Structures are given as structure tokens and as C-alpha cells.
Amino acid sequence: MMGRAPTRDEKWLAWALWVLAFVALLLTESAVGFTRDESVYFAAAEGYASWFRLLFHSPTQAFTDAAIVRAWDYNHEHPALMKTLFGLSHLLFHDGLEWTRSATAFRLPAFAFAALIPALSFLFGSALYGRTAGLFAALAFMLVPRQYFNSELACFDVPVAAMWLLVVYCFWRALEDVKWGVWCGVAFGLAIATKHNALFLPFVLTPFALWRAWTASEGRPEARTWLLRFVGLFAAVAVLYGWLLVSLGGGEDFQKKFLLLSPHTLLFVGLAAGGAWVLNGLKKVDGPVTRALVPVLAMAVLGPVIFYLHWPYLWHEPVERTAWYLAFHAKHNHYAWFYLGTLLREPPFPLTYVVVKTALTVPTSLFVPMVTGLGALAARAVLGLFARTRAWVARPVTLTEALVGVNAVTSILIISHPQVPHFGGVKHWFPSMVFLGILAGAAVARGCAALWDVLKAKRPALPFAVVAAPVFVVLLVPALVYSVRVFPYGTAAYSELAGGLPGAATLGMQRQFWSSHVTGVLPWINEHAKPGARLFLHEVHSGSFRDYQRNGMLRNDLRPVGSPFDADIVAYQYHQEFREQEFQTWQAFGTRTPVTGLYLDETPQVIVYVRPEGR
Amino acid sequence: MRSPSFLRALPLVELGGLVLVALLCLVFHLRLPGHLPSEGDYRAVAERLKAEARPGDAVLLFPWWTEHARLFVPPDVPVYGYLGSDRDDLSAHPRIWVLGQPELPRSDEDGFLATFLPERRVVGTPVHEGPLSLALYENGRYRPRRFTASDAYAKARVYLEAQDGTRRDCPFDGQAHRCPGPNYLYVAPEWHELFYEPRRCLWMHAPGGPQRLVAEFDGIPGGVGLRLEGGIIWEQAHLKDARLTPAYLGVDDARSGVRLLEVVVPPGLEGVQKAEVRLPEGEPRTVKVWVQSDNADRRQVCLDVLAVEPAVGVR
């Protein structure tokens, strides 16, 4: 397994893909409604940006815990990197330069992160399987409607997928260039500052680093000794932390006594210093082994440091507040979720949920190459294990391919655990989808190459592009049609395999979530609501109501209310778990007949009722 | 050893498969719009319903979720379409119009008819407006109603009844019988969800403790089936918290005190619970409809009591 620097052409193409994705997202974002979470993040971002204003005007005051808590306490269940960027972008492009509407300014950093995915997928895919594979992977990611929809949002799910890919890419590049090992640590720090999913990355990457170091040190006793010292150091620190935990009487006391000057900190400093000393010694005897291990130490040391530094909320109370943050996600609520005709409310959830949901939402013309790509990789790995079948495998599976394969299934396996919350559609395993896209690219590329080989026998001058271009068109156009058809209602997207939205409705799948589809009825409400009408936008966060008005999507005279009984107009969002609220509207308005609605391919999404005159 | 030739051919086979799948996907997207009804199709169906529907008729949607039709169906014709409505007897309706979209992806018309058709008979020829189909059925599961508590609620006498029989009245204010105590203690017909099914039923929240919330109705005819249908509404029903207690729903004969019907709804039991007894022939009687639960928390009961004749069957 070796990394490879991109060629000049590849770099240009990667930049072009980044620009293409960024511009596409920018040009289409205004149609996308504000999801429940997004409006929370908008508010958080503004609060965080206000702290930067304070920092500029009154730095001494800004660093006090009181000032920090005032600005950063809101939504501290998520780290602050993206929200800080959203806030600073808003400060610059909306408040300062006035170039964009408010929501666009918040979303710009999310576009920049999302656009990294096609660019990096191309670079990684190209290095592994050739440019055809890389290009297919890049385009495929953005042509999955739910992925494109999520890329539009000022949220964290696509950014953390981008960061996950970046960390893996840096890790892989580190194997040929030691400085990428340090970048891997930096990227990991930023990844965990993006969302907690990234905390799993060291568990995915370290076995590859150790395997690479072990194989590279074969027959090199000195290097092997340094490798064992490195492993021994980490093991010793882990044991000492464990001993500290037990001797201090458990988690709570361990946490209380974790101070700046404490054994806990000393162990961390010892790990950093000891690790650096080992790698310095190793560097003198073996480059490849050193390069394999640098990312491990960089992640272990730079990760926590960057995480701490990026989040002012942690500065005065790092341990207690980090512990709260981790505990929050360890015990996350379960939200009701409709799946194959059953309302899932609590664990255990079906083991096959993630695979089924992926199959029913990713365009089938992209899902199938993902499956064959992953299947072929797995088959080659299995066939390569046995002497009798080894010769059948033209090219043994490399560790880099294994790295891609493992990352393609990691997030899927984590979320598949029956005790893990299963809400949120497909967004929680986006990191896997990036790597599945690369494997899909590999499947398409090898098919194109095989066809080209056959055709070249008759027409030796036939350019490869003449084969690849039509294949791309045939495979990508259905996904494009599907994307255009469902846009901007991304959480309603269901694939051909599901039978589209109607098929998914009959299957009993979650019709939509996150409330952003209300944009489909806002123009009607703006046109027909009487002045000052009381509006119950079911499921829409109060912050989103404000944001629709702030961004000119909802009349400013309309007033939000919290119940159909207080409303003149109700826009009910069809959720299986919220049926009662539509019937409350019947009760409150004395009618079961809606006046309009958003019906996507016949599936009710948002249903609008108006209180009859005199009621 | 060289790899077998079929392995070398696999990438071509794989590509062929991918292209075939993609072409099928494209066909799916090209055909889908043709399976979706236009507003004109809906209006044509609505016109037909307006002209031919009789009082007491109902519309049943197939597939169940195709509620777009609600925008167009005349408001005086009730529309049924909820998860499980295929199985609904629709026993209040002698005739049912099935408004179907059999061409929608994954619409299983045979499966629907297998559930829907028993005890029903198609009347006339179904009509088609675009991809919409409208077929009229005679409903053999229709049970003529002689009494419906949720319709007669205004004349009921409502009170809280302690274990020793003492009563506290819940006076009628023109809309509801409101009891002393928490504001949820009242009796009135309301729309609520019972396991996805919309029901207009009598809101009778259990008062808590040994006392019962009672609604007394006069004039229940003899020689008919007395039927109790009810349950806990919405998301309160599925909760299985150990602090919650079963809700008891019952109907007693007011004069003799004999228990005519009783339904127990333990925590976690969702849906409409039903019980029926055949009343002997005789003079109309007065019945006491009641609810009780030791812990009132989340025992949001909605129920109805009906006096019904036997199902008419298919003629």
C-alpha cells in the first residue's frame, strides 16, 4: 500500500469538480427549505459570530467564561467548527458585504465542504482505479438526490463525510510522504470538530497503519523494535489510563480529577513526547515504517488539541463539557421512524434497515455498481486467500483497496447496530457512501476497459472515451432525471427499486422528515392568507418560521401559532407518527377537506387546511 | 493457473448488467408521469361522485395513502384512506366507491381486492378517468345503526361516579359535558387517531383512581347488537411505562347494573378495541358508558357505543 501524489491534470480536474459542485449547490440552494436542525444552527452560528465581534472589540472580556458561555452555550451538543464557519460566512457575506441573502451566507461553508467530496473522490479513485473510476465516483456522489439535498444544508452530515474522506486520503498519502501524516492529524482534529462520527476514524485507520508498519519492517529487526516500542507506548498509556480510572473510583471521579496539572494530562503529554521520540528514532532506520505510524500519533495528539482549541466553550471547562457532549450522543433520543409499514419507536431496530434504506433511496443505476464494486472487491479478497483460487484473481487486493472497502462499510455497520438511533434517513452513513462511490467507479471503469479491449480488436484506434462516455450517460442520466424530479424535496427521494415515491409510500416508508418541504406550499399561503393570519406550520421549527420570513419566503405579517386550534391556516406535514395532528385540524376547523398541498408523484407531503369563515 | 475464462468475461457481463439496469431505470422515469392522474382526472371523478353518490356513501382510497383525492371529492362524501383502511368494514356505509390508482408502482390491486371484496359486490361498470378508476360496491358488511353515542352525546347525562356510587355532575355547556377537576375531564365527540385510523368518537379521558367517568344514554333499542369500540389515542397507546395502568371501558345496564360490555386496554395496546353483545328484544333501555383507570396519566380514551343491526350481506 503506497500513496500517490496526483498528477497536474488530476489536480486541475479535481479543482474543476470542486468548482462545479460548489457552483451547482450555490445556484440551486434557494429552493431548498430550512430543515429543523438548520435553523438551530443558523441561530447558533449567529451567536458564535457575535462572540467574534466581542473578541474584536473587547478581547479581554471575550475570553471570560461568562462571555464564552453566553455566546457558545447554545447547541453545545455539537462541536463548533461548521457553525463557526456558518457564522463567520454570514458575518462577511450577508452582514458585511451584503452579497447574499441570509440563508445562503450561512450555507456557503457547507457547499465548500460538500464540494470536497467529488474532488477528493476523483483524486482517490483515480489513483486507485484510474480516472474513469475517479470521475464516476465524483459525479455519482452528487447525483444521489439525498446526498445532493444534504449538501445544500448548513448541517454537519455531508461536511463530516467530506472530512472523513479527507482524513483517509491524508492517511493514504502519508504512506509516501511523511508530512501528510501530520496533515492526517490536523484533518482528524477538524473532522471531530465537525461531527462525532469522526471519532471512529482512528479505530478504522490504526489497524491499517500497524499492518503496513508490520509488513514494512519484516526482515528489519531494528525497525521492528522501534515499531514494538511505539505500540508498547500506546499500550502502556492505555493501561495507565485504565488503572487511573479504576484507582480513582470510576468515571465521575476520573473526570473530576482531570485537571491541567494531573496524571491524566501527564499521560497525554507523555504519549505525545514519547511518540515523537520513538518516531524520531524510527525515522533514522526506516522511512516506510515511520510514515505508516506518523498518522497514528498525529491523530492521537493533534486530534484532541485541535478539538479543544476550536471550541471556546471547552476552554474553561474542557473535561466536564467534553464529557457532557460525549454522553449526550451516547444516550441520544430515539425518534419515531416509519419503515416498511411499521413505526419504529425504540430499539432493537431491524438489522437490515441501513442496507434496505440505502437500496430504496440511492438511484438504482448507481446503487447496483456500488454493490458489484464492493462485491467484486470482497470476492477478490476471498479468492486470494486460498491457494487453489489465488490464480483466478488477476490483481490481488491491495491494502489501499482494503482501506476503501473497510471505509465503505464502517459507517453502515455502526448505524446498523440495532441499539443505534435510526432516524434521519440516510445521512448518518454518508461517509460510507463516498467510498461506495469509488467502488462503483471501479466497477464501471473495469467494464469500460473490458469493452474497450473487445472493441479495440476490431478498431485499434478507438479512443477509450468513445466507450466510457456513453456508459457514463446511460448510468448517470436516470440518476439525474430522478434528482431533478424530486429536487428540492430531498428527504422524500426514493429510488426506482422502491418504485419511486409512490412505491415507497405503498411499502410503508417514511414519507419525509425535517420539515423543509413546507416550501412547496409557502407560495400558496403567501398568496391566499388573510393579513395577519395565524399560521400553524406543523413540524416547522420556530426558528425556521423566522428564517422563512427573514429570507423573503414567507410574508412578514403572518404569525406563528403552536396548534391547529389557534390557527387560521394549518400546513400539516405527513408523518405516520403525527396523524393525530391532522385529525386535530379536522376537529379545529370542522372540515376534512384540504385546500391545497404538496403532493409529490401523488404522495401527500404537506397538506394545507384553512379555517372556514365563521368558525 | 490462469483464471477461468468466465472470470475474464465477468467485467463485460457486469457492465452489461449495469447498463441494462440503468436503461430499466430510465424507462421507469419515462413511464411514471403517465401513471399519475391530472387535476382534470380528479375533477371528472368528483363530478361523477357529485352526480351519483347517495347520502351514506363513502369513498375508499386505493392505495390507502392516495389522499390527494381529498382535495376534489365532494365534502359531504366521507373519504377513507389510512394505513389499514383496506381491511375496514366501513360498516356505517351501505355503498362504497373505491377510488383506485392501480397503475402506480407497487400498487397491488389483487392484494387489495382479496382483502376488500369479501361480502361486497361491484355495482355497474367501473369508470376510468386517466389512471384513476372509480368503482361502486354494495357493502355487505354494512350494519344499519339504530343508535350512535357520539351523535346522541348532547342528550347524555354525564358525571363522575365514585366507588360508593356518589356522583358529581358534568354539566353540558352546549358543546361538551365538562366535569369538575382537570380540564381534560369532559365528554364530547372529537376527531382522534387510534392506531392511524381517524375516528370521530367520544372523548372520555379516564379520571384516575377508582372513580369512573360515566355518560348515561337513554333509548337504546332491544333486539340489536350493542357494540363498544374504543381505545387510547395517538402515541399514548404504545407506551408501556410501568407507572401506567390499564384503562377499563365498559357499558352497564343502568337499571339492573348488569355489565353488558367491557374492554380492557393495557398500556402498549394500540388500535380500536371492540366488544359486542346481542341485546334481548324488549323496551328501549338506558345504559351507562364509562371509563376508569387507576392512573389517569396518558389514558386518553376515545370511544363510541353503537346499537347495530346484523350485517346486511350481499344481495
Side-chain angles (χ1 to χ4, degrees):
Chain A
M1 179 169 72
M2 285 293 287
R4 166 167 95 64
T7 64
R8 188 184 158 82
D9 286 351
E10 284 170 346
K11 279 185 191 167
W12 276 110
L13 262 169
W15 273 112
L17 285 164
W18 186 89
V19 170
L20 178 70
F22 184 89
V23 171
L25 291 167
L26 180 62
L27 292 179
T28 51
E29 72 83 27
S30 63
V32 177
F34 308 129
T35 60
R36 289 177 62 82
D37 292 21
E38 207 179 17
S39 283
V40 173
Y41 303 152
F42 287 172
E46 277 197 285
Y48 302 171
S50 74
W51 182 83
F52 284 98
R53 285 180 195 264
L54 183 67
L55 180 66
F56 188 73
H57 294 296
S58 178
T60 321
Q61 194 195 341
F63 283 107
T64 63
D65 192 44
I68 286 173
V69 168
R70 200 161 43 245
W72 297 85
D73 186 60
Y74 185 63
N75 191 239
H76 62 257
E77 53 264 45
H78 289 292
L81 175 65
M82 293 312 298
K83 287 174 285 181
T84 303
L85 295 176
F86 301 155
L88 293 175
S89 172
H90 190 260
L91 205 57
L92 178 63
F93 295 111
H94 178 72
D95 294 348
L97 300 171
E98 298 182 4
W99 282 359
T100 68
R101 66 174 191 153
S102 174
T104 311
F106 282 125
R107 286 171 165 175
L108 284 172
F111 304 161
F113 273 67
L116 280 177
I117 292 178
L120 286 172
S121 298
F122 171 73
L123 290 180
F124 208 3
S126 296
L128 230 69
Y129 298 112
R131 288 184 197 176
T132 307
L135 195 57
F136 189 86
L139 297 174
F141 184 84
M142 299 310 273
L143 287 175
V144 176
R146 289 186 182 232
Q147 289 166 190
Y148 189 85
F149 169 80
N150 276 271
S151 299
E152 299 275 28
L153 306 177
C155 292
F156 319 133
D157 302 292
V158 172
V160 80
M163 292 309 297
W164 187 297
L165 176 60
L166 181 65
V167 173
V168 175
Y169 183 75
C170 291
F171 174 81
W172 173 72
R173 290 293 307 277
L175 302 176
E176 44 93 17
D177 184 346
V178 73
K179 73 172 184 287
W180 281 88
V182 178
W183 284 120
C184 179
V186 172
F188 173 66
L190 295 175
I192 57 175
T194 302
K195 200 175 177 188
H196 61 279
N197 315 33
L199 289 167
F200 291 98
L201 268 164
F203 302 101
V204 180
L205 297 181
T206 303
F208 284 96
L210 293 178
W211 181 250
R212 167 68 183 156
W214 184 260
T215 50
S217 63
E218 208 154 5
R220 304 173 65 87
E222 211 178 340
R224 181 63 64 86
T225 305
W226 281 108
L227 166 62
L228 293 175
R229 282 179 189 150
F230 186 84
V231 173
L233 173 69
F234 271 77
V237 170
V239 167
L240 286 171
Y241 267 123
W243 174 78
L244 209 55
L245 183 73
V246 172
S247 66
L248 290 176
E252 208 169 305
D253 288 332
F254 176 87
Q255 187 184 315
K256 272 185 197 157
K257 290 175 180 155
F258 197 154
L259 307 168
L260 181 60
L261 294 176
S262 65
H264 312 59
T265 315
L266 188 66
L267 282 175
F268 179 74
V269 173
L271 177 74
W277 176 74
V278 172
L279 290 180
N280 196 41
L282 184 57
K283 193 173 75 176
K284 292 170 189 157
V285 297
D286 195 299
V289 179
T290 310
R291 291 197 294 271
L293 298 180
V294 167
V296 177
L297 184 66
M299 284 193 288
V301 175
L302 295 179
V305 169
I306 291 173
F307 182 75
Y308 170 71
L309 290 177
H310 101 281
W311 199 355
Y313 186 69
L314 302 182
W315 290 351
H316 290 272
E317 296 281 354
V319 177
E320 192 183 322
R321 289 174 187 172
T322 303
W324 184 92
Y325 157 68
L326 294 174
F328 174 84
H329 291 286
K331 300 170 194 163
H332 200 288
N333 291 344
H334 297 283
Y335 302 133
W337 195 254
F338 198 43
Y339 174 70
L340 294 180
T342 303
L343 205 51
L344 308 177
R345 293 183 190 269
E346 57 201 4
F349 299 112
L351 194 61
T352 53
Y353 168 83
V354 174
V355 173
V356 172
K357 187 85 182 176
T358 305
L360 296 183
T361 54
V362 173
T364 308
S365 60
L366 303 181
F367 177 71
V368 174
M370 287 177 186
V371 172
T372 62
L374 183 64
L377 182 65
R380 282 171 53 214
V382 172
L383 291 175
L385 288 177
F386 306 102
R388 198 173 152 201
T389 53
R390 200 166 292 143
W392 297 7
V393 181
R395 218 163 39 88
V397 172
T398 63
L399 262 182
T400 306
E401 286 182 286
L403 181 70
V404 171
V406 166
N407 277 283
V409 297
T410 297
S411 297
I412 285 176
L413 289 178
I414 292 168
I415 307 295
S416 290
H417 191 288
Q419 298 297 321
V420 171
H422 273 45
F423 61 87
V426 296
K427 67 195 180 80
H428 293 151
W429 60 92
F430 280 162
S432 278
M433 301 311 295
V434 173
F435 294 93
L436 284 171
I438 292 174
L439 293 174
V444 173
R446 73 172 157 257
C448 290
L451 182 60
W452 189 49
D453 276 347
V454 171
L455 296 176
K456 260 200 315 185
K458 291 178 184 168
R459 297 186 60 184
L462 187 74
F464 181 74
V466 171
V467 173
V471 169
F472 268 47
V473 169
V474 170
L475 296 186
L476 296 177
V477 161
L480 180 65
V481 172
Y482 165 25
S483 297
V484 170
R485 191 171 177 79
V486 78
F487 184 81
Y489 308 114
T491 64
Y494 283 97
S495 70
E496 301 86 351
L497 195 60
L501 282 77
T506 295
L507 283 172
M509 300 297 286
Q510 181 87 17
R511 205 79 57 85
Q512 57 164 340
F513 67 99
W514 246 1
S515 87
S516 61
H517 298 183
V518 75
T519 51
V521 299
L522 292 185
W524 189 95
I525 291 172
N526 284 330
E527 191 183 339
H528 293 91
K530 65 185 181 189
R534 300 164 301 161
L535 189 53
F536 177 52
L537 296 183
H538 171 234
E539 263 295 273
V540 173
H541 191 274
S542 58
S544 301
F545 196 104
R546 172 206 63 204
D547 290 323
Y548 286 124
Q549 292 186 319
R550 188 181 185 181
N551 287 276
M553 299 165 80
L554 183 64
R555 276 173 25 203
N556 283 322
D557 62 300
L558 301 177
R559 294 170 291 154
V561 292
S563 148
F565 295 98
D566 303 324
D568 300 310
I569 296 178
V570 169
Y572 164 79
Q573 305 241 354
Y574 193 101
H575 279 240
Q576 203 59 41
E577 73 273 26
F578 295 141
R579 299 299 294 129
E580 169 75 3
Q581 278 158 317
E582 184 171 18
F583 309 149
Q584 284 177 359
T585 307
W586 296 0
Q587 178 65 27
F589 288 8
T591 177
R592 284 177 278 170
T593 304
V595 292
T596 188
L598 174 67
Y599 300 92
L600 298 178
D601 291 346
E602 283 298 286
T603 60
Q605 303 279 323
V606 185
I607 304 158
V608 179
Y609 291 88
V610 173
R611 184 183 288 275
E613 290 293 330
R615 273 191 72 91
Chain B
M1 186 172 70
R2 283 179 58 77
S3 58
S5 57
F6 81 87
L7 283 180
R8 289 196 300 278
L10 267 182
L12 272 179
V13 174
E14 183 185 20
L15 183 67
L18 299 183
V19 168
L20 180 65
V21 166
L23 290 173
L24 290 173
C25 291
L26 204 52
V27 169
F28 173 85
H29 288 295
L30 293 174
R31 291 186 60 193
L32 182 59
H35 296 319
L36 304 174
S38 66
E39 205 169 303
D41 298 331
Y42 274 122
R43 293 203 185 284
V45 163
E47 285 304 317
R48 194 168 187 101
L49 284 170
K50 204 180 280 179
E52 297 185 18
R54 295 182 200 157
D57 285 4
V59 168
L60 177 66
L61 302 175
F62 160 69
W64 63 268
W65 51 265
T66 51
E67 294 188 50
H68 194 180
R70 284 189 189 280
L71 288 175
F72 305 95
V73 173
D76 51 334
V77 183
V79 179
Y80 292 85
Y82 62 90
L83 182 59
S85 59
D86 298 1
R87 294 187 296 274
D88 196 326
D89 288 339
L90 302 175
S91 65
H93 305 285
R95 303 197 316 165
I96 301 165
W97 297 85
V98 174
L99 179 52
Q101 298 197 46
E103 293 174 28
L104 286 177
R106 292 195 183 273
S107 284
D108 176 12
E109 191 174 22
D110 291 340
F112 166 76
L113 290 174
T115 310
F116 172 79
L117 267 185
E119 300 298 315
R120 280 156 179 162
R121 186 176 66 86
V122 71
V123 179
T125 311
V127 294
H128 294 271
E129 297 291 349
L132 295 177
S133 69
L134 184 67
L136 177 62
Y137 290 85
E138 179 189 331
N139 184 16
R141 303 183 211 171
Y142 169 57
R143 302 186 71 181
R145 295 184 174 190
R146 304 274 299 278
F147 170 82
T148 304
S150 56
D151 290 340
Y153 84 103
K155 292 180 183 164
R157 292 177 297 282
V158 179
Y159 49 86
L160 291 168
E161 185 178 63
Q163 224 169 358
D164 61 5
T166 54
R167 298 176 178 184
R168 286 186 294 159
D169 283 341
C170 305
F172 186 57
D173 66 4
Q175 290 188 319
H177 300 269
R178 300 200 181 276
C179 303
N183 61 5
Y184 56 74
L185 284 183
Y186 65 90
V187 175
E190 292 182 347
W191 282 103
H192 285 290
E193 178 210 322
L194 283 117
F195 203 40
Y196 315 131
E197 180 182 344
R199 284 219 154 211
R200 186 175 177 274
C201 43
L202 282 180
W203 170 262
M204 288 185 73
H205 196 301
Q211 68 177 336
R212 309 192 302 181
L213 174 59
V214 179
E216 264 188 32
F217 293 91
D218 299 327
I220 314 299
V224 294
L226 185 68
R227 195 168 168 82
L228 171 63
E229 299 183 350
I232 309 282
I233 70 159
W234 196 20
E235 60 187 11
Q236 327 301 345
H238 89 277
L239 297 168
K240 297 183 187 114
D241 194 311
R243 291 167 303 169
L244 303 178
T245 54
Y248 296 88
L249 291 56
V251 182
D252 295 349
D253 185 276
R255 188 187 300 172
S256 64
V258 169
R259 175 82 24 100
L260 299 171
L261 292 166
E262 184 172 1
V263 161
V264 184
V265 188
L269 181 62
E270 296 182 273
V272 180
Q273 312 306 314
K274 298 170 182 172
E276 184 170 337
V277 66
R278 171 109 188 135
L279 293 177
E281 298 287 348
E283 288 296 303
R285 67 180 71 203
T286 298
V287 296
K288 292 168 68 172
V289 180
W290 55 267
V291 294
Q292 185 270 329
S293 182
D294 289 346
N295 182 357
D297 189 20
R298 319 290 174 103
R299 302 299 85 186
Q300 300 179 1
V301 172
C302 205
L303 59 77
D304 213 341
V305 173
L306 315 165
V308 288
E309 294 179 2
V312 295
V314 178
R315 284 186 289 273

